[in-house]
Amino acid sequence: METKYDPSLYNYDLAPVKKEHKTWTWINFTTIWMGMIHNIVAWETAGSLIMLGMSVWQALSAVIIANIVLISAMWLNSVVGGKYGIPFPVIIRAAFGHKAAHIPVVLRAFVAIFWFAVQAYAGSAAVNAIFGALIPGWNGLSKFHLVGMGLNSAIAVVLFWLLHMWIVSKGMHRIKIFELWAGPLVIILGIILVIWSINVSHGLGPLFEQPSKLSSSQFWTIFPVSVTGLVGVWATLVLNISDFTRFTRSQKDQAVGQFIGLPGTAIAFALMSIITTSGTVVAFGKAIWNPVTLLQKFDNPFLLFFGAIALIIITLSVNIAGNVVSPGYDLVNLFPKKLNFVKAGNISIILSLFFVPWLWFNNAGVILTVMGAVGGALGPVAGIMFADFYIVHHRHYEINSFYLKDSEYSYSHGWNYSALIAMAVGTIISLIGLFVPTLKPLYSYSWFLGVGAGFIIYALLMRNTENKTKVREVSPAK
């Protein structure tokens, strides 16, 4: 007899992916990561290491170490999706219970929608720039204002948001196809800039021979913080990587594809940024790590146009994969009776408008600090997920229990207080440097502290709970 799942916990998009629909090969995982990694933030982050005074070799070593940490964490959390074909908001029920799971799910969705707004507004600026160069009188529309921005900017925002919605309209299949060509295409711009850098520097030699501007003590102060910052760019995706690996043809496909796509192309992309930024030191006497600023330096209309198109594709690529897939599944999880992935993805795109990024985009220090704190709170969730699958459940989940309110993952009426305590304490440890001045240096390692604390505290609490259960089971009846 077929198990009847609870409709408040189950629908088509939350169900395990059927074998015939597990079609993603290692190529798809490589290109999906290429599409996410090859973005303006990643380029600027890697290039800024040169600005801080590092040599090419020092900057490259920071990138390599950060990506080794990232791929290790991704692999650990990818296995569940590949094995059971289920997304993050379903997996998290095993640790938190079906009700308490809404807390980390909503937090993850909130962070993703916020970053969607940031990235999309940056991309709309590129659209606005292209229209300004091609359409006479376009820039003159800026004198008319709509919801706090010029009419030309408002039109660009609407068009760019609608472009995201069109890509999402066919679900994960269209996203897979889009990333298949978008990721590799972005490499072309990077190669052009690298060729220019090598040309102005008369070979790679001068770039790699530039000495570090940091003393030994300065380097060892900056280096670990730089590694943490590079990890932090993609740390939240560790939670919902199963949203992608649930479609994998095999565990080997997702493992190999992610290895090539994450540390592989990420290091190559960072190397392009580092080489190009080093070339700007030779060409202009100072490090320019912002690709838009660099493109403007060339004063070449064709290169500016091509560069703007590339930046638009970059933004679409990272935004769809990194900031729509997660809240899409998260919102479906909240309203499984009313939403599917496409509807939820489009709702998350619309919700991002309420962050009104055009009002604070150039002065976002306070908001970014708040978002950093929210992101830090997700570190313990990753640690809890690791501990739950590998330590508590010994790499085995009972698939039917995810979709039933009365199951081994129900805990206390849908609440696992061990997970909530581990998340709360882990968050305090993760963010303590933000509130205690003397411990401020610890905030640079917030994600690592959160992961470690969440893992240890949850594993210990669950072990204690399990031992108490065993004692009750063997106690003689009175």
Side-chain angles (χ1 to χ4, degrees):
M1 183 177 177
E2 185 177 350
T3 303
K4 188 175 182 180
Y5 296 135
D6 192 299
S8 66
L9 300 175
Y10 178 91
N11 74 4
Y12 174 81
D13 289 305
L14 299 177
V17 176
K18 295 180 179 179
K19 188 175 181 180
E20 59 267 27
H21 294 149
K22 289 188 172 187
T23 58
W24 287 36
T25 67
W26 66 270
I27 295 175
N28 296 120
F29 286 100
T30 297
T31 55
I32 206 86
W33 268 114
M34 288 175 72
M36 290 190 287
I37 288 294
H38 301 162
N39 64 80
I40 298 173
V41 174
W43 180 279
E44 291 182 349
T45 303
S48 67
L49 299 178
I50 300 298
M51 183 274 295
L52 290 173
M54 288 188 186
S55 68
V56 171
W57 290 113
Q58 288 173 339
L60 189 58
S61 63
V63 171
I64 291 172
I65 291 173
N67 277 278
I68 290 173
V69 171
L70 274 173
I71 191 60
S72 300
M74 293 293 175
W75 274 343
L76 285 173
N77 238 19
S78 293
V79 173
V80 183
K83 184 175 183 178
Y84 297 103
I86 53 178
F88 159 68
V90 174
I91 295 170
I92 199 70
R93 296 171 188 170
F96 281 79
H98 62 269
K99 289 184 178 179
H102 291 320
I103 297 173
V105 166
V106 169
L107 273 175
R108 177 66 184 97
F110 183 80
V111 172
I113 293 172
F114 171 83
W115 283 117
F116 176 92
V118 174
Q119 295 273 10
Y121 183 66
S124 72
V127 172
N128 192 28
I130 291 176
F131 285 176
L134 298 178
I135 304 175
W138 176 263
N139 292 328
L141 295 175
S142 61
K143 63 184 179 182
F144 304 103
H145 288 84
L146 183 66
V147 293
M149 57 181 158
L151 182 59
N152 56 340
S153 296
I155 295 172
V157 164
V158 171
L159 291 176
F160 202 54
W161 255 252
L162 288 174
L163 186 55
H164 283 87
M165 296 177 77
W166 175 77
I167 295 173
V168 172
S169 65
K170 294 298 182 181
M172 289 296 288
H173 176 70
R174 178 172 284 173
I175 293 173
K176 179 181 75 171
I177 299 301
F178 175 74
E179 298 291 350
L180 192 62
W181 64 266
L185 184 63
V186 172
I187 284 289
I188 297 174
L189 178 62
I191 292 174
I192 291 173
L193 293 175
V194 167
I195 292 172
W196 165 83
S197 181
I198 294 173
N199 184 55
V200 298
S201 304
H202 305 293
L204 278 171
L207 299 177
F208 283 89
E209 290 170 5
Q210 289 185 50
S212 172
K213 297 180 177 63
L214 304 173
S215 65
S216 179
S217 60
Q218 288 174 325
F219 171 73
W220 288 113
T221 300
I222 293 175
F223 185 77
V225 177
S226 300
V227 171
T228 304
L230 290 166
V231 171
V233 173
W234 292 109
T236 53
L237 200 69
V238 170
L239 299 185
N240 68 294
I241 189 61
S242 285
D243 291 349
F244 301 96
T245 60
R246 65 190 299 228
F247 297 100
T248 189
R249 190 176 57 179
S250 68
Q251 293 286 13
K252 182 179 178 181
D253 276 299
Q254 65 90 0
V256 172
Q258 288 200 85
F259 180 76
I260 298 172
L262 183 51
T265 62
I267 291 170
F269 191 66
L271 184 59
M272 289 180 182
S273 170
I274 291 167
I275 289 174
T276 302
T277 305
S278 297
T280 64
V281 175
V282 176
F284 307 113
K286 62 178 182 179
I288 300 175
W289 66 94
N290 185 317
V292 177
T293 303
L294 178 56
L295 287 170
Q296 290 172 338
K297 284 280 187 180
F298 294 118
D299 196 26
N300 182 316
F302 173 76
L303 189 57
L304 280 173
F305 179 78
F306 174 75
I309 292 294
L311 293 178
I312 289 172
I313 294 172
I314 286 172
T315 305
L316 283 169
S317 184
V318 66
N319 239 8
I320 294 294
N323 298 321
V324 174
V325 172
S326 174
Y329 283 122
D330 295 342
L331 291 177
V332 169
N333 179 69
L334 293 174
F335 306 102
K337 296 179 183 178
K338 297 181 178 180
L339 296 179
N340 58 27
F341 175 77
V342 173
K343 289 180 181 178
N346 285 328
I347 288 172
S348 67
I349 291 172
I350 294 170
L351 286 175
S352 68
L353 289 169
F354 290 94
F355 282 107
V356 290
W358 52 88
L359 297 181
W360 49 262
F361 186 78
N362 294 316
N363 188 24
V366 175
I367 295 177
L368 292 177
T369 299
V370 173
M371 291 308 302
V374 174
L378 294 175
V381 178
I384 290 168
M385 293 180 75
F386 296 154
D388 187 70
F389 183 61
Y390 291 97
I391 304 299
V392 176
H393 287 98
H394 308 291
R395 296 171 58 93
H396 176 76
Y397 284 142
E398 174 52 50
I399 196 68
N400 289 329
S401 295
F402 285 110
Y403 305 104
L404 299 171
K405 287 186 176 179
D406 185 15
S407 71
E408 63 177 292
Y409 306 146
S410 299
Y411 300 102
S412 180
H413 306 291
W415 299 82
N416 184 4
Y417 295 106
S418 293
L420 293 173
I421 292 170
M423 183 178 175
V425 176
T427 300
I428 292 172
I429 293 173
S430 174
L431 303 180
I432 194 168
L434 186 62
F435 304 105
V436 181
T438 56
L439 299 177
K440 187 177 180 180
L442 292 179
Y443 186 59
S444 299
Y445 308 92
S446 60
W447 188 79
F448 290 97
L449 291 172
V451 171
F455 183 96
I456 294 170
I457 295 169
Y458 179 76
L460 290 176
L461 288 175
M462 290 300 289
R463 182 178 181 182
N464 187 47
T465 301
E466 185 179 326
N467 288 338
K468 286 181 180 179
T469 301
K470 289 179 179 178
V471 169
R472 286 196 297 268
E473 288 175 350
V474 300
S475 296
K478 293 183 180 179

